[in-house]
């Protein structure tokens, strides 16, 4: 039987959903199945189609609670929360999946992933790895490595522990400051299909010894699709990006601008100020009766924000939301 693989964030959320279902499910047979699948998830193992069926049960329980559909929950699964007047379980369910993901259709995408029969290729993103850059271990980034030799080995290890060969990784510039042959050596060691958005430090591209075929493509700018969303890719922040105002019929925005270049410096502080000002500015667009806040889904994919791990768009949305929440404190 073909296996199904989930990424780290999906596994963490699935684990929470299973725990919720275990607290509420009355039937011993279903509880036994939930317990079995929970152990597989804890071990980050591959899931079978049968395992996925159990997880979809947990997702359905969660969705009914979060949406307050207590009658459906009792009728379909025998879970009686009809007397739960203070809605404590809705409050609990709201903590399991962050609003930033839930409102963007995360649960629908997770359910779709569980219906697959093959290991799906993921789109992953990361910026400013700066292989061979000794200076970033001592200034600006103050990375935790003693020199670029140690850094290179750790970055390769972290990458290969979190990326499989089918994944598509979009590198948002400044991959390496070395010459062509040394950069070739690093690229050959990294798993997955790699795409490069050109950064200001990617000078190896002009070296005759560099092998451009190690990237699927090399571009200064790109726009791609990712699970029904548009993603604008640039090494440099684009403040007024293409598709910024596009929304789904339910009003959720569908375009994200992913960037790098500014690391975690004063320039990133200025970008964050722009983002906050934009989000707090309302305009009346064509077809609207009342002004609405301007969408601004700009995310800095700086490698240190993700502990040097290439992440999916959903993972970056969560990392960015957590980072911004800390800024408000």
């Amino acid at each position: 039987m073909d296996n199904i693989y989930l990424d780290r964030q999906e596994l963490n959320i699935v684990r929470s959903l299973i725990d919720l279902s275990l607290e509420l499910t009355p039937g011993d047979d279903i509880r036994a199945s939930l317990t079995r699948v929970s152990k597989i998830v804890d071990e980050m193992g591959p899931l079978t189609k049968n395992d996925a069926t159990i997880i979809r049960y947990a997702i359905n329980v969660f969705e009914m609670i979060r949406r307050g559909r207590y009658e459906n929950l009792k009728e379909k699964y025998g879970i009686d929360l009809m007397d739960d007047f203070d809605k404590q379980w809705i409050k609990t369910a709201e903590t399991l999946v962050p609003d930033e993901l839930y409102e963007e259709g995360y649960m629908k995408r997770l359910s779709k992933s569980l219906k697959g029969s093959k290991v799906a290729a993921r789109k992953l993103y990361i910026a400013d790895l700066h292989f061979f850059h000794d200076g970033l271990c001592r200034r600006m980034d103050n990375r935790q490595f003693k020199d670029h030799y140690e850094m290179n080995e750790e970055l390769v290890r972290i990458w290969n522990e979190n990326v499989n060969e089918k994944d598509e990784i979009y590198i948002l510039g400044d991959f390496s400051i070395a010459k062509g042959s040394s950069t070739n050596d690093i690229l050959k060691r990294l798993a997955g299909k790699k795409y490069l958005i050109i950064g200001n430090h990617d000078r190896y591209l002009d070296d005759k010894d560099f092998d451009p075929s190690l990237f699927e493509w090399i571009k200064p700018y790109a726009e791609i699709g990712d699970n029904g969303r548009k993603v604008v890719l640039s090494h440099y922040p684009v403040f007024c990006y293409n598709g910024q105002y596009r929304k789904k019929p339910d009003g959720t925005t569908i375009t994200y601008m992913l960037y790098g270049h500014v690391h975690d410096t004063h320039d990133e502080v200025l970008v964050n100020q722009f983002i906050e000002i934009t989000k707090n500015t309302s305009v009346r667009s064509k077809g609207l009766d009342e002004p609405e806040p301007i969408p601004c889904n700009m995310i800095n994919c700086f490698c240190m924000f993700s502990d040097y791990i290439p992440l999916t768009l959903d993972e970056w949305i969560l990392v960015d939301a957590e980072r911004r929440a800390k800024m408000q404190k």
Side-chain angles (χ1 to χ4, degrees), residues 277-315:
I277 291 171
T278 303
K279 287 182 174 180
N280 290 309
T281 301
S282 294
V283 296
R284 190 172 70 180
S285 301
K286 183 179 179 180
L288 295 179
D289 295 328
E290 298 293 333
E292 290 186 351
I294 299 174
C296 193
N297 298 327
M298 296 176 65
I299 299 177
N300 183 355
C301 295
F302 177 41
C303 61
M304 290 185 71
F305 290 158
S306 65
D307 295 324
Y308 309 102
I309 301 170
L311 300 179
T312 64
L313 178 57
D314 286 319
E315 289 174 312

Side-chain angles (χ1 to χ4, degrees), residues 12-257:
N12 287 335
I13 288 178
V14 163
R15 186 181 295 109
S16 298
L17 299 182
I18 290 175
D19 288 344
L20 177 66
S21 293
L22 276 169
E23 285 193 58
L24 299 173
T25 299
D28 290 339
D29 52 345
I30 298 180
R31 288 179 59 81
S33 296
L34 286 166
T35 301
R36 178 184 60 79
V37 175
S38 179
K39 291 179 181 178
I40 296 172
V41 171
D42 284 340
E43 295 169 358
M44 303 183 69
L47 301 162
T48 67
K49 288 183 179 180
N50 186 52
D51 300 332
T53 299
I54 301 302
I55 295 173
R56 284 200 295 275
Y57 163 82
I59 291 174
N60 290 339
V61 169
F62 162 80
E63 286 279 35
M64 289 182 185
I65 295 172
R66 179 140 185 176
R67 296 173 185 272
R69 295 176 179 171
Y70 287 4
E71 291 183 8
N72 299 87
L73 192 63
K74 182 177 181 180
E75 179 181 346
K76 190 167 184 178
Y77 298 127
I79 297 175
D80 188 0
L81 300 180
M82 298 293 287
D83 295 329
D84 185 24
F85 293 113
D86 64 356
K87 302 295 186 293
Q88 64 171 337
W89 289 108
I90 290 182
K91 296 176 183 177
T92 299
E94 286 176 346
T95 66
L96 300 186
V97 181
D99 289 341
E100 292 80 7
L101 297 181
Y102 189 79
E103 293 169 1
E104 294 292 333
Y106 180 81
M107 299 310 296
K108 184 177 180 179
R109 292 194 295 277
L110 177 57
S111 293
K112 187 176 180 181
S113 297
L114 289 164
K115 292 179 181 178
S117 60
K118 296 182 179 180
V119 181
R122 299 174 299 165
K123 287 183 169 67
L124 306 174
Y125 309 90
I126 196 162
D128 299 294
L129 288 159
H130 283 264
F131 278 99
F132 299 95
H133 201 156
D134 262 323
L136 294 186
C137 301
R138 300 188 299 273
R139 59 183 182 274
M140 192 165 83
D141 290 354
N142 292 316
R143 300 189 183 188
Q144 66 268 36
F145 314 107
K146 66 179 181 180
D147 53 35
H148 78 265
Y149 297 103
E150 180 180 276
M151 181 177 72
N152 286 359
E153 291 306 309
E154 277 298 290
L155 296 190
V156 170
R157 180 189 64 79
I158 293 169
W159 179 296
N160 288 334
E161 285 182 355
N162 292 278
V163 174
N164 68 59
E165 289 298 340
K166 292 189 177 182
D167 288 334
E168 300 174 358
I169 309 92
Y170 295 85
I171 301 164
L172 304 179
D174 288 3
F175 174 74
S176 164
I177 68 164
K179 292 184 178 180
S181 60
S182 296
T183 301
N184 291 341
D185 292 339
I186 291 292
L187 282 167
K188 290 174 183 177
R189 295 176 62 191
L190 298 176
K193 299 177 180 178
K194 297 165 282 290
Y195 301 75
L196 179 69
I197 296 294
I198 301 171
N200 55 301
H201 284 285
D202 293 312
R203 300 187 185 97
Y204 56 87
L205 295 174
D206 296 324
D207 188 333
K208 62 180 178 57
D209 293 326
F210 174 67
D211 180 3
S213 70
L214 294 170
F215 287 113
E216 300 296 313
W217 52 243
I218 300 170
K219 299 180 180 180
Y221 171 95
E223 296 178 7
I224 64 172
D226 187 330
N227 285 312
R229 296 161 293 182
K230 177 176 180 177
V231 183
V232 176
L233 304 174
S234 171
H235 179 60
Y236 309 98
V238 178
F239 290 157
C240 299
Y241 53 91
N242 187 27
Q244 182 171 352
Y245 288 82
R246 289 182 60 196
K247 296 182 178 181
K248 295 179 182 178
D250 63 5
T252 58
T253 56
I254 59 174
T255 306
Y256 289 82
M257 195 283 116

